[in-house]
């Protein structure tokens, strides 16, 4: 079974991805690059590449605002860190090499090593002229450097993970530029920081995430663009151009411009990366990509709350309002949201004229790296009067102790599950074997504002057909679910946002209310209301009410009618 899962996973990768994975594992195993000549290369680069004043004065940061709350920063300079809703107080000495049991997840350890908090502390040093902020930066960087050697056995668990290196390199460049422009005189520190930046540049250049691609290679690209401008390095600039043309441009759909991982959260992360790059170099080729992606995220959020398709939660990526303001200040806008928006499989219906509905349906097929994929095919989410009513279950974290694959499973999404089978073979933390495939057809007329016929073929051959009909004249949403099997083992799940109140009216009807909005559900089968886990942020587990509908022998399909009141 395991061998088959490996095969089904590998067959979706390109030959180059497999080659670069083997290449990196070889270098990791034998420390071929790390121990051999990196130190000498850093010395040569440092002696030959100068940092000019005009390079230091560039816009490496969008604004001078603090992105961490002031009380959070004051805690950080006491070595008290809170990331992903989990707090650790290190006391006098930071433990840079936390185990997963201590940090709760590898992603928490990543955040400790990102150093984006040092950027805010550098800004505070400039604002308040208080030496304690600079001293904390200096002490932390020296301590990090002495405790995170490339010779360590698990060097790439967090400290030298290539994504972490990219994120930290951007932070180090920002800290360098901010402190240089503050007229700080500490020659030793600037030489040390410059060499540390160079070490990151050279390591990253030789260890790009060409085995993973997706949003990871975009973060690699951003970091090296920043470095090419800081050092005015034309060779590095040409290298980044090759990365963009070969590995990044093809990550966006040709029609809508949606990022092909089909995660609203990671699309927001990618958009911020491109905005930061454009803010720095005004690269014309990024304008169309930014404009289209801005439109996609505009569709996929309501009041800064995202649709939870695939790996997606709130308060991780920058909110849409921030991204829109950033783009506007750069002179980039996007087209207005239409009534029906097809983002190459993520279907969004928006109506603010009558009853203020925003409905999202996931009919997308992920053609690239599927580590962030969920069994959410044909799942839907619903905002009514700018409040989320129907929601997928989100993501608690990226580790086994945070129920990673439970949150990726079919039953955690607003869709149909056949028996105990998943839509796709999800396994390990970021792996998918055989994968479900969706298709769809959209139409609309004066009466039915949206009519969607969709189906998904599960990895085991089961076909789930879902028809979604939004009748805006009568304020109704009709959902019809069918499978190509006579077995009475089909279940449909509707997860209700925790802030909603549910009132059961009869065996086949119920009422859902939230603030001044109310929806009535009528179902042609009996249903149960159960409690299930929900995570709207990493590390923040709640309970939500879930409507559980099981198909009986007397009905050929499960029909759900939502009436907006």
């Amino acid at each position: 079974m395991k061998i088959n899962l490996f095969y089904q996973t590998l067959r979706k990768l390109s030959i180059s991805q497999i080659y670069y994975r083997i290449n990196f594992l070889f270098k990791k195993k034998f420390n071929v690059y790390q121990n051999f000549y990196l130190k000498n290369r850093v010395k040569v680069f440092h002696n030959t590449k100068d940092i000019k004043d005009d390079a230091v004065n560039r816009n490496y940061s969008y604004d001078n605002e603090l992105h961490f709350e002031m009380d959070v920063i004051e805690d950080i300079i006491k070595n008290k860190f809170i990331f992903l809703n989990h707090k650790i107080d290190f006391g006098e000495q930071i433990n840079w090499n936390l185990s997963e049991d201590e940090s709760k997840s590898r992603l928490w350890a990543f955040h400790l090593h990102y150093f984006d908090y040092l950027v805010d502390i550098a800004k505070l040093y400039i604002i308040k002229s208080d030496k304690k902020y600079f001293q904390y930066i200096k002490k932390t960087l020296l301590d990090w450097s002495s405790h995170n050697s490339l010779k360590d056995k698990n060097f790439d668990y967090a400290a030298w993970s290539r994504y972490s290196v990219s994120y930290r390199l951007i932070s180090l460049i920002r800290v360098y530029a901010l402190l240089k422009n503050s007229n700080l005189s500490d020659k030793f520190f600037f030489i040390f920081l410059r060499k540390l930046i160079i070490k990151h540049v050279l390591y990253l250049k030789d260890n790009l995430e060409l085995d993973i691609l997706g949003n990871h290679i975009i973060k690699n690209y951003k970091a090296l663009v920043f470095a090419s401008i800081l050092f005015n390095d034309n060779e590095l600039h040409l290298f980044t151009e090759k990365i963009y043309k070969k590995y990044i441009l093809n990550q966006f759909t040709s029609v809508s411009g949606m990022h092909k991982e089909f995660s609203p959260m990671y699309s927001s992360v990618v958009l911020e990366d491109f905005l930061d790059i454009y803010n720095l170099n005004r690269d014309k080729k990024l304008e169309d990509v930014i404009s289209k992606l801005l439109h996609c995220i505009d569709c996929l959020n309501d009041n800064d709350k995202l649709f939870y398709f695939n790996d997606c939660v709130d308060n991780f990526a920058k909110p849409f309002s921030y991204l829109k303001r950033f783009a506007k200040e750069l002179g980039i806008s996007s087209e207005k949201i239409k009534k029906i928006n097809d983002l190459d499989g993520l279907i969004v219906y928006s109506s603010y004229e009558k009853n203020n509905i925003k409905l999202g349906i996931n009919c997308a097929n992920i053609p690239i790296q599927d580590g962030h994929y969920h069994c959410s095919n044909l799942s839907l989410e619903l905002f009514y009067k700018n409040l989320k009513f129907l929601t997928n279950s989100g993501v608690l974290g990226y580790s086994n102790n945070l129920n990673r694959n439970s949150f990726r499973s079919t039953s955690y999404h607003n869709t149909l599950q056949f028996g105990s089978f998943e839509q796709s073979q999800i396994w390990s933390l970021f792996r998918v074997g055989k994968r479900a495939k969706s298709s769809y057809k959209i139409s609309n007329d004066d009466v039915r504002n949206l009519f969607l016929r969709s189906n998904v073929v599960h990895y085991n051959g089961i076909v789930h057909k879902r028809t979604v009909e939004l009748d805006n004249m009568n304020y109704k949403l009709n959902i019809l679910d069918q499978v190509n099997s006579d077995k009475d083992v089909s279940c449909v799940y509707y997860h209700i946002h925790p802030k909603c109140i549910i009132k059961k009216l009869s065996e086949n009807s119920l009422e859902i209310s939230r603030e001044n909005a109310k929806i009535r559900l009528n179902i042609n089968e009996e249903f149960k209301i159960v409690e299930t886990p929900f995570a709207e942020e990493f590390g923040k587990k709640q309970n939500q009410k879930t409507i559980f509908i099981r198909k009986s022998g007397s009905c050929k399909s499960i029909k759900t009618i939502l009436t907006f009141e």
Side-chain angles (χ1 to χ4, degrees), residues 306-309 358-362 379-383 388-394 414 534:
L306 296 168
F307 284 116
Y308 298 163
F309 294 134
K358 199 163 192 178
L359 173 69
I361 307 159
N362 180 13
S379 69
L380 52 83
E381 290 204 343
L382 174 69
F383 286 90
K388 190 180 271 195
F389 274 74
L390 300 183
T391 180
N392 289 324
S393 300
N414 295 320
F534 173 73

Side-chain angles (χ1 to χ4, degrees), residues 238-464:
L238 294 175
F239 183 71
T240 62
E241 290 293 296
K242 288 178 182 178
I243 296 171
Y244 181 82
K245 290 174 184 176
K246 191 170 182 179
Y247 301 109
I248 295 178
L249 189 57
N250 61 3
Q251 288 194 36
F252 301 88
T253 60
S254 57
V255 180
S256 71
M258 183 64 190
H259 185 241
K260 290 181 182 178
E261 286 181 286
F262 290 102
S263 159
M265 180 182 79
Y266 281 109
S267 293
S268 301
V269 170
V270 166
L271 177 57
E272 184 188 7
D273 286 341
F274 283 141
L275 287 168
D276 279 336
I277 295 168
Y278 187 81
N279 184 45
L280 190 57
N281 64 9
R282 292 301 193 274
D283 192 337
K284 292 284 187 184
K285 70 175 181 288
L286 297 180
E287 291 178 359
D288 187 58
V289 178
I290 291 171
S291 178
K292 285 183 174 179
L293 199 52
L294 189 68
H295 172 258
C296 291
I297 301 168
D298 194 3
C299 293
L300 293 167
N301 92 100
D302 196 315
N303 281 350
D304 286 341
K305 300 296 182 183
L306 296 168
F307 284 116
Y308 298 163
F309 294 134
N310 299 306
D311 273 340
C312 185
V313 290
D314 290 314
N315 298 326
F316 181 80
K318 290 290 195 303
F320 176 71
S321 56
Y322 171 93
L323 299 170
K324 185 179 180 181
R325 184 175 74 249
F326 193 174
K328 184 178 180 181
E329 291 190 14
L330 295 175
I332 300 176
S333 60
S334 63
E335 64 175 289
K336 290 184 178 180
I337 298 178
K338 303 171 192 170
K339 186 166 280 187
I340 298 175
N341 303 270
D342 183 357
L343 310 179
D344 293 273
L346 295 183
I347 315 301
V348 179
Y349 173 88
S350 299
S351 173
Y352 298 109
E353 299 164 2
K354 291 186 177 181
N355 46 14
N356 203 336
I357 291 171
K358 199 163 192 178
L359 173 69
I361 307 159
N362 180 13
C363 300
N365 296 303
I366 299 177
I368 59 171
Q369 194 272 116
D370 52 17
H372 294 295
Y373 167 85
H374 284 211
C375 291
S376 60
N377 297 62
L378 308 194
S379 69
L380 52 83
E381 290 204 343
L382 174 69
F383 286 90
Y384 177 44
K385 295 185 178 178
N386 302 114
L387 301 168
K388 190 180 271 195
F389 274 74
L390 300 183
T391 180
N392 289 324
S393 300
V395 185
L396 186 60
Y398 288 162
S399 59
N400 287 320
N401 61 4
L402 294 173
N403 307 117
R404 164 68 171 156
N405 281 343
S406 294
F407 278 86
R408 296 173 77 197
S409 66
T410 309
S411 65
Y412 277 56
H413 300 85
N414 295 320
T415 189
L416 178 144
Q417 182 169 23
F418 182 80
S420 60
F421 293 101
E422 300 295 341
Q423 292 179 340
S424 299
Q425 288 180 307
I426 52 172
W427 66 284
S428 190
L429 297 178
F430 297 95
R431 301 286 180 265
V432 182
K434 288 184 180 179
R435 198 164 56 192
K437 188 173 183 180
S438 301
S439 60
Y440 62 96
K441 185 177 180 180
I442 305 171
S443 60
N444 66 303
D445 55 40
D446 292 337
V447 178
R448 294 180 305 209
N449 289 80
L450 171 68
F451 189 71
L452 172 72
R453 287 191 179 94
S454 59
N455 72 70
V456 56
V457 181
H458 295 196
Y459 82 91
N460 59 359
I462 290 295
V463 180
H464 166 210

Side-chain angles (χ1 to χ4, degrees), residues 47-65:
N47 291 337
T48 57
K49 301 288 184 180
D50 197 14
I51 299 177
K52 309 254 187 238
D53 288 343
D54 60 339
V56 172
N57 293 328
R58 299 287 285 272
N59 294 323
Y60 296 100
S61 299
Y62 159 49
D63 53 39
N64 290 319
E65 294 178 12

Side-chain angles (χ1 to χ4, degrees), residues 61-111:
S61 299
Y62 159 49
D63 53 39
N64 290 319
E65 294 178 12
L66 301 179
H67 295 279
F68 288 81
E69 298 293 332
M70 192 65 202
D71 58 337
V72 173
I73 296 174
E74 291 300 332
D75 272 351
I76 287 172
I77 62 174
K78 298 171 186 172
N79 291 336
K80 298 176 183 178
F81 295 86
I82 182 165
F83 304 123
L84 312 177
N85 292 295
H86 178 57
K87 189 170 186 177
I88 295 179
D89 183 351
F90 289 107
E92 290 296 316
Q93 178 67 47
I94 296 173
N95 179 5
W96 296 106
N97 299 294
L98 289 170
S99 69
E100 195 163 288
D101 288 338
E102 294 170 300
S103 66
K104 301 298 183 187
S105 74
R106 188 184 181 196
L107 187 59
W108 196 99
F110 273 29
H111 278 264

Side-chain angles (χ1 to χ4, degrees), residues 389-391 494-498 500 502 512 544-547:
F389 274 74
L390 300 183
T391 180
Y494 290 110
H495 301 286
I496 312 303
H497 193 278
C500 293
I502 299 179
I512 307 171
Q544 63 187 352
K545 294 287 193 290
T546 296
I547 303 168

Side-chain angles (χ1 to χ4, degrees), residues 480-521:
L480 187 69
D481 292 293
Q482 299 170 293
V483 294
N484 64 338
S485 173
D486 294 329
K487 293 181 179 180
D488 300 327
V489 293
S490 298
C491 301
V492 170
Y493 297 88
Y494 290 110
H495 301 286
I496 312 303
H497 193 278
K499 290 188 178 179
C500 293
I501 298 170
I502 299 179
K503 181 181 178 183
K504 191 168 183 178
L505 303 176
S506 70
E507 289 184 348
N508 298 99
S509 66
L510 67 146
E511 181 183 271
I512 307 171
S513 60
R514 183 176 176 185
E515 296 182 18
N516 65 335
K518 193 181 293 183
I519 298 174
R520 182 188 293 264
L521 269 72

